[in-house]
Amino acid sequence: MTARAFIIAAPRSGSGKTTVTLGVAAALRARGVRVRAAKSGPDYIDPAFHAAATGEPGLNLDSFAMPPALIDALAAQAGAGAELVLIEASMGLFDGIEGEAGRSGAAADLAARLGLPVVLVLDISGQSQSAAAVVRGFATHDPRVRIAGVILNQVASERHRLQASAAIAALGIQILGSLPRDGAVRLPERHLGLVQAGEHPALAAQLAALAERAEAHIDLDALIALGAPLPASGPAPVALAPPGQRIALAQDVAFSFAYEHLVAGWRRAGAEILPFSPLANEAPDATADACWLPGGYPELHGERLAQATRFLDGVRHFAQTRPVHGECGGFMVLGQSIADSEGREHAMLGLLGHATSFAKRRLNLGYRRAVTLHASPLGPAGTRLRGHEFHYASVTQAGDDAPLVALSDGGGKGMGDAGRRRGRVSGTFFHVIATDGQPSGAEP
């Protein structure tokens, strides 16, 4: 089976990419088409919605953080068991960071590398014929990227639709659908994006509504027809070496930010994944040889986690003899305490000396490069990594543990030492996406 694929993008965030992607995916699945969806860039939440809409695991493809060979292999794997692959862009189509050509993090890099057409979702509220100027600009901005069609969103009336459609059609670009402003389906949000798929109160009903809306207002047959074949590739490299042979992985709505490609890579490398739920007061499996606490929303569940004595005691006991690593939310839980949005402090594992607060919010967002300063579950000393940070929590007590990594921004500008380590325990706000070449010195 050779899948066809295309990218769903937009000029900016908030244009309706996610609801269009979910609606198209759910509608095609209802038709019996085997669909797989992926998200361009660093995002944990949208891929879970993609999985709910398609019935297949979500996936990330990141042109900044992933080596090109990994992107090729993951895309080919996604298409191996599917008929159609939808790749949802993040922010605007060309939005990324300056630096190495083809590795900006923008979805345009994926379109160019994989040879995929782009469907532009265009919010035309407040304009009509002027929308054609936006489309013309996107169509001519980068000769490597082909805008194959447009889906109009937020259409106020039939007259509004006709005016915008005629102006865009004159450019020779296909209009694939027009979504009316009335009846738009909105997904609930919180501070890191959409409310997680696993917490959504009526997800099945909303996916059905989005599918019905896509069937009614988008030419799905034309959309399928414009897809291009995904290029063939070899086996996927392992993005990050598994931290153990049997890995206890925290997994629930407070610890849900684990990248599918990382966990799948661990399995391909022969590791066994042993999920456990801290919110259900479960301890890591006693037979595991490493414990990984991913990011998520522990700040929303501080009281419950503080009372989960079996979880807390289990991780403390585990850390006496085996490595424990925490990313972002997991790093917060490894510390002394978390203050919630109202400033109430909840005692955490106390395996590292820092304390964090969600009451004192400060946005930390962006691509990161890191080099490990000491051996840890992230790799031997000198391991180069690429990933990102996205959190609002702030450190209110630094502690005196040793730093874990030398950190720099996506462009390579140094940000100093970051993360903490003590004995077998390590953690950082930095989310790793992939290793960045062979271990070397300790300068990022």
Coordinates of all heavy atoms in Angstrom, one line a residue, residues 38-86:
A38 N -0.4 13.5 11.1 CA 0.8 13.9 11.8 C 0.8 15.4 12.0 O 0.1 16.1 11.3 CB 2.1 13.5 10.9
K39 N 1.6 15.8 13.0 CA 1.6 17.3 13.3 C 3.0 17.8 13.0 O 4.0 17.1 13.4 CB 1.3 17.5 14.8 CG 1.4 18.9 15.2 CD 0.3 19.8 14.7 CE 0.3 21.2 15.3 NZ -0.8 22.0 14.9
S40 N 3.1 18.9 12.3 CA 4.4 19.5 12.1 C 4.8 20.3 13.3 O 4.1 21.1 13.8 CB 4.4 20.4 10.9 OG 5.5 21.2 10.8
G41 N 6.1 20.0 13.8 CA 6.6 20.8 14.9 C 6.3 20.1 16.2 O 5.7 19.0 16.3
P42 N 6.8 20.8 17.3 CA 6.7 20.2 18.7 C 5.3 20.4 19.2 O 4.8 21.6 19.5 CB 7.7 21.0 19.5 CG 7.8 22.3 18.8 CD 7.5 22.0 17.3
D43 N 4.5 19.4 19.4 CA 3.1 19.5 19.9 C 2.7 18.1 20.4 O 2.8 17.1 19.7 CB 2.2 19.9 18.7 CG 0.8 20.2 19.2 OD1 0.2 19.4 20.0 OD2 0.2 21.3 18.8
Y44 N 2.2 18.1 21.7 CA 1.8 16.8 22.3 C 0.3 16.7 22.2 O -0.3 15.5 22.1 CB 2.1 16.8 23.8 CG 3.6 16.6 24.0 CD1 4.4 17.7 24.4 CD2 4.3 15.4 23.9 CE1 5.7 17.6 24.6 CE2 5.6 15.3 24.2 CZ 6.3 16.4 24.6 OH 7.7 16.3 24.8
I45 N -0.5 17.8 22.1 CA -1.9 17.7 22.3 C -2.6 17.4 21.0 O -3.5 16.5 20.9 CB -2.4 19.1 22.9 CG1 -1.8 19.2 24.3 CG2 -3.9 19.1 22.9 CD1 -2.1 20.6 24.9
D46 N -2.3 18.1 19.9 CA -3.0 17.8 18.6 C -2.8 16.4 18.2 O -3.8 15.8 17.6 CB -2.5 18.8 17.5 CG -3.0 20.2 17.7 OD1 -3.8 20.4 18.7 OD2 -2.6 21.1 17.0
P47 N -1.6 15.7 18.3 CA -1.5 14.3 17.8 C -2.5 13.4 18.6 O -2.9 12.4 18.0 CB -0.1 14.0 18.1 CG 0.6 15.3 18.0 CD -0.3 16.3 18.6
A48 N -2.9 13.7 19.8 CA -3.8 12.8 20.5 C -5.2 13.0 19.9 O -6.0 12.0 19.8 CB -3.9 13.2 22.0
F49 N -5.6 14.2 19.4 CA -6.8 14.4 18.7 C -6.8 13.7 17.4 O -7.8 13.1 16.9 CB -7.1 15.9 18.6 CG -7.7 16.5 19.8 CD1 -6.9 17.1 20.7 CD2 -9.1 16.6 20.0 CE1 -7.4 17.7 21.9 CE2 -9.6 17.2 21.1 CZ -8.8 17.7 22.0
H50 N -5.6 13.8 16.7 CA -5.5 13.1 15.4 C -5.7 11.6 15.6 O -6.4 10.9 14.8 CB -4.1 13.3 14.9 CG -3.7 14.7 14.5 ND1 -2.5 15.1 14.2 CD2 -4.5 15.8 14.3 CE1 -2.5 16.4 13.9 NE2 -3.7 16.8 13.9
A51 N -5.2 11.0 16.7 CA -5.3 9.6 16.9 C -6.8 9.3 17.2 O -7.3 8.2 16.7 CB -4.5 9.2 18.2
A52 N -7.5 10.1 17.9 CA -8.9 9.9 18.1 C -9.7 9.9 16.8 O -10.7 9.2 16.6 CB -9.5 10.9 19.1
A53 N -9.4 10.8 15.9 CA -10.1 11.0 14.7 C -9.8 9.9 13.7 O -10.7 9.5 12.9 CB -9.8 12.3 14.1
T54 N -8.6 9.4 13.7 CA -8.2 8.4 12.7 C -8.2 7.0 13.2 O -8.2 6.0 12.4 CB -6.7 8.7 12.2 OG1 -5.8 8.5 13.3 CG2 -6.6 10.1 11.6
G55 N -8.1 6.8 14.5 CA -7.9 5.4 15.0 C -6.5 4.9 14.9 O -6.3 3.7 15.2
E56 N -5.6 5.7 14.5 CA -4.2 5.4 14.4 C -3.3 6.3 15.3 O -3.7 7.4 15.6 CB -3.7 5.5 12.9 CG -4.5 4.7 11.9 CD -4.2 3.2 12.1 OE1 -3.1 2.9 12.6 OE2 -5.0 2.4 11.6
P57 N -2.2 5.8 15.7 CA -1.3 6.6 16.6 C -1.0 8.0 16.0 O -0.8 8.1 14.8 CB -0.1 5.8 16.8 CG -0.5 4.4 16.5 CD -1.6 4.5 15.5
G58 N -0.9 9.0 16.8 CA -0.5 10.3 16.3 C 1.0 10.3 16.1 O 1.7 9.4 16.5
L59 N 1.5 11.4 15.4 CA 2.9 11.4 15.1 C 3.3 12.9 14.9 O 2.5 13.7 14.6 CB 3.1 10.7 13.7 CG 4.5 10.7 13.2 CD1 5.5 9.9 14.0 CD2 4.5 10.1 11.7
N60 N 4.6 13.2 15.2 CA 5.2 14.5 15.0 C 6.2 14.4 13.9 O 7.0 13.4 13.9 CB 5.8 15.1 16.3 CG 4.7 15.4 17.3 OD1 4.3 14.5 18.0 ND2 4.3 16.6 17.4
L61 N 6.3 15.4 13.1 CA 7.4 15.5 12.1 C 8.0 16.9 12.3 O 7.3 17.9 12.1 CB 6.9 15.3 10.7 CG 6.4 13.9 10.4 CD1 5.7 13.9 9.0 CD2 7.4 12.8 10.4
D62 N 9.3 17.0 12.7 CA 9.8 18.3 13.1 C 11.1 18.5 12.3 O 12.1 17.9 12.5 CB 10.1 18.3 14.6 CG 10.4 19.7 15.1 OD1 11.3 20.3 14.6 OD2 9.7 20.1 16.0
S63 N 11.1 19.5 11.4 CA 12.2 19.7 10.5 C 13.4 20.4 11.3 O 14.5 20.3 10.8 CB 11.8 20.6 9.3 OG 11.5 21.9 9.7
F64 N 13.2 21.0 12.4 CA 14.3 21.5 13.2 C 15.0 20.4 14.0 O 16.2 20.2 14.0 CB 13.9 22.7 14.1 CG 15.0 23.0 15.1 CD1 16.1 23.7 14.8 CD2 14.8 22.5 16.4 CE1 17.1 24.0 15.7 CE2 15.8 22.8 17.4 CZ 17.0 23.5 17.0
A65 N 14.1 19.7 14.8 CA 14.7 18.8 15.8 C 15.0 17.5 15.3 O 15.8 16.7 16.0 CB 13.7 18.8 17.0
M66 N 14.4 17.0 14.2 CA 14.6 15.7 13.7 C 15.6 15.7 12.6 O 15.5 16.5 11.7 CB 13.3 15.1 13.2 CG 12.3 14.7 14.3 SD 10.8 14.1 13.6 CE 9.9 13.6 15.1
P67 N 16.6 14.8 12.6 CA 17.5 14.6 11.4 C 16.7 14.3 10.2 O 15.6 13.6 10.3 CB 18.4 13.5 11.8 CG 18.3 13.3 13.3 CD 16.9 13.8 13.6
P68 N 17.1 14.8 9.0 CA 16.3 14.5 7.8 C 16.0 13.1 7.6 O 14.9 12.7 7.1 CB 17.2 15.1 6.7 CG 17.9 16.2 7.4 CD 18.2 15.7 8.8
A69 N 16.9 12.2 7.9 CA 16.7 10.8 7.6 C 15.5 10.2 8.5 O 14.8 9.3 8.1 CB 17.9 10.0 7.9
L70 N 15.4 10.8 9.7 CA 14.3 10.4 10.6 C 13.0 10.9 10.1 O 12.0 10.1 10.2 CB 14.6 10.9 12.0 CG 13.5 10.6 13.1 CD1 13.4 9.1 13.3 CD2 13.9 11.3 14.4
I71 N 12.9 12.1 9.6 CA 11.7 12.6 9.0 C 11.3 11.7 7.8 O 10.1 11.3 7.8 CB 11.9 14.0 8.5 CG1 12.0 15.0 9.7 CG2 10.7 14.5 7.6 CD1 12.4 16.4 9.3
D72 N 12.2 11.4 7.0 CA 11.9 10.5 5.8 C 11.3 9.2 6.3 O 10.3 8.7 5.7 CB 13.1 10.3 5.0 CG 13.7 11.6 4.3 OD1 13.0 12.6 4.3 OD2 14.8 11.5 3.8
A73 N 12.0 8.6 7.2 CA 11.6 7.2 7.7 C 10.2 7.3 8.4 O 9.4 6.4 8.2 CB 12.7 6.6 8.6
L74 N 10.0 8.3 9.3 CA 8.8 8.3 10.0 C 7.6 8.6 9.0 O 6.5 8.0 9.2 CB 8.8 9.4 11.1 CG 9.7 9.2 12.2 CD1 9.8 10.4 13.2 CD2 9.3 7.9 13.0
A75 N 7.8 9.5 8.0 CA 6.8 9.7 7.1 C 6.4 8.5 6.3 O 5.3 8.1 6.0 CB 7.2 10.9 6.1
A76 N 7.5 7.7 5.9 CA 7.3 6.5 5.1 C 6.5 5.5 6.0 O 5.6 4.8 5.5 CB 8.6 6.0 4.6
Q77 N 6.9 5.4 7.2 CA 6.2 4.4 8.1 C 4.8 4.8 8.3 O 3.9 3.9 8.3 CB 6.9 4.4 9.5 CG 8.2 3.6 9.6 CD 8.7 3.6 11.0 OE1 8.2 4.2 11.9 NE2 9.9 2.9 11.2
A78 N 4.5 6.1 8.4 CA 3.1 6.5 8.6 C 2.3 6.1 7.4 O 1.1 5.7 7.5 CB 3.0 8.0 8.8
G79 N 2.9 6.2 6.2 CA 2.2 5.8 5.0 C 2.1 4.4 4.7 O 1.3 3.9 3.8
A80 N 2.9 3.6 5.3 CA 3.0 2.1 5.0 C 1.7 1.4 5.2 O 1.4 0.5 4.5 CB 4.1 1.5 5.8
G81 N 1.0 1.8 6.3 CA -0.3 1.1 6.5 C -1.5 2.0 6.3 O -2.5 1.7 6.9
A82 N -1.4 3.0 5.5 CA -2.5 3.9 5.3 C -2.7 4.2 3.8 O -1.8 3.9 3.0 CB -2.2 5.3 6.1
E83 N -3.8 4.7 3.5 CA -4.1 5.2 2.2 C -3.9 6.7 2.0 O -3.6 7.1 0.9 CB -5.6 4.9 1.8 CG -5.9 3.4 1.8 CD -7.4 3.2 1.8 OE1 -8.0 3.3 0.6 OE2 -8.1 2.9 2.8
L84 N -4.0 7.4 3.1 CA -3.9 8.9 3.0 C -3.2 9.3 4.3 O -3.6 8.9 5.4 CB -5.2 9.5 2.9 CG -5.2 11.0 2.6 CD1 -4.6 11.3 1.2 CD2 -6.6 11.7 2.7
V85 N -2.2 10.2 4.2 CA -1.6 10.8 5.4 C -1.8 12.3 5.3 O -1.5 13.0 4.3 CB -0.1 10.5 5.4 CG1 0.6 11.3 6.6 CG2 0.2 9.0 5.5
L86 N -2.4 12.9 6.4 CA -2.6 14.3 6.6 C -1.6 14.9 7.5 O -1.4 14.4 8.6 CB -4.0 14.6 7.1 CG -5.2 13.9 6.6 CD1 -6.5 14.3 7.3 CD2 -5.3 14.1 5.1

